[in-house]
Amino acid sequence: ETEVLVIYCGGTIGMKPTPEGLAPAPHYLTRNLAQRPQFHDPTKRPLTTKPTLYGKRIHYVIKEYKNLLDSSEMDMTDWVRIARDIFNNYEQYDAFVILHGTDTMAYTASALSFMLKNLTKTVILTGSTVPLSMPYKDC
């Protein structure tokens, strides 16, 4: 199995639809993914995918920030936190996925490209303008 750390720092991708609009909700993303067969094989440990076409499974762990960040308010301290989370977990995981808001994703990508220079593992920074839980999403 490939081990992937998903760092959910905020953004629309993991928000919960409410009568008042989209809102961050603690652990909503993890629960939502665990209910979807494309992200979770119920015959395996939690958050392990079904085998790919090449017979590989991906097991992922979601590290959700306690206070989900609005990307329009992110600054250098938040970029350092993301980089530090990758460095602190570097030996445990094969790859990293950062779920991020779209407003300042380009700035975060630029900062991380310098802070994570010379890594030998994959780091993906992604987000969405529509929550994963909604049909017709863009993620």
Side-chain angles (χ1 to χ4, degrees):
E1 286 181 1
T2 300
E3 298 288 331
V4 175
L5 178 63
V6 177
I7 300 171
Y8 176 39
C9 52
T12 303
I13 194 168
M15 287 193 175
K16 180 178 183 177
T18 71
E20 294 79 34
L22 299 175
H27 311 293
Y28 175 72
L29 178 70
T30 303
R31 287 191 306 271
N32 189 284
L33 290 174
Q35 295 172 0
R36 296 174 177 272
Q38 64 269 45
F39 294 107
H40 174 65
D41 181 347
T43 67
K44 297 295 178 186
R45 63 184 169 150
L47 300 178
T48 300
T49 64
K50 292 181 179 178
T52 66
L53 293 174
Y54 302 101
K56 291 202 60 141
R57 291 180 183 274
I58 300 168
H59 174 253
Y60 52 100
V61 172
I62 299 177
K63 176 182 178 60
E64 180 177 302
Y65 286 177
K66 184 175 181 182
N67 296 315
L68 294 171
L69 305 171
D70 180 334
S71 71
S72 66
E73 297 175 359
M74 290 180 78
D75 61 23
M76 187 176 2
T77 59
D78 300 306
W79 303 332
V80 169
R81 179 181 179 191
I82 294 167
R84 187 172 288 129
D85 285 338
I86 291 170
F87 283 120
N88 290 342
N89 292 283
Y90 194 75
E91 296 305 319
Q92 295 169 258
Y93 295 95
D94 301 307
F96 303 87
V97 176
I98 303 162
L99 301 181
H100 190 286
T102 57
D103 290 340
T104 61
M105 188 183 295
Y107 300 116
T108 300
S110 178
L112 291 176
S113 74
F114 292 103
M115 288 188 270
L116 304 176
K117 192 174 178 181
N118 298 322
L119 290 187
T120 59
K121 295 182 181 182
T122 302
V123 177
I124 298 170
L125 177 65
T126 190
S128 176
T129 58
V130 180
L132 183 65
S133 62
M134 295 179 74
Y136 310 111
K137 51 206 154 283
D138 68 347
C139 50

